[in-house]
Amino acid sequence: MALSGKQVRYLRSLVHHANPSVFVGKADITDGVRKQVEDALEAHELIKCGVQDGSELTAREAAEALAEQLEADVVQVIGHRFSLYRKSHKKDIKHIELP
């Protein structure tokens, strides 16, 4: 799902003060990292991730790879941090209402 500019701005405002919930380390994107991101997206829909200094991937590369593998949207990439969004299939959480 491609996000509009208005939706991206809204999601960026929501995730601005969040702390990274998943980190990509020197082993880059492993099955464990992929599973953590998958679980976090299902639970929260919008997450912030970080790329540690030992990783060979840039934040942009990690964000695009994870977004492609998990069918998510890249909301923002700044420095060593990136944000991903994917609508959750869970019914028992509060879903983000996009404008």
Side-chain angles (χ1 to χ4, degrees), residues 9-76:
R9 285 190 303 276
Y10 177 69
L11 292 171
R12 283 190 346 222
S13 73
L14 292 178
V15 79
H16 178 72
H17 293 292
N19 291 321
S21 56
V22 178
F23 285 93
V24 176
K26 65 180 179 180
D28 295 331
I29 298 173
T30 62
D31 289 338
V33 169
R34 194 174 304 107
K35 176 75 171 125
Q36 281 184 323
V37 171
E38 173 83 28
D39 293 344
L41 284 170
E42 276 302 308
H44 304 289
E45 295 187 328
L46 180 64
I47 62 168
K48 186 182 278 188
C49 303
V51 177
Q52 296 177 332
D53 289 335
S55 178
E56 293 183 15
L57 295 175
T58 65
R60 168 91 39 213
E61 293 168 340
E64 289 174 357
L66 284 167
E68 181 180 327
Q69 293 171 16
L70 300 175
E71 298 177 2
D73 290 302
V74 177
V75 174
Q76 174 173 287

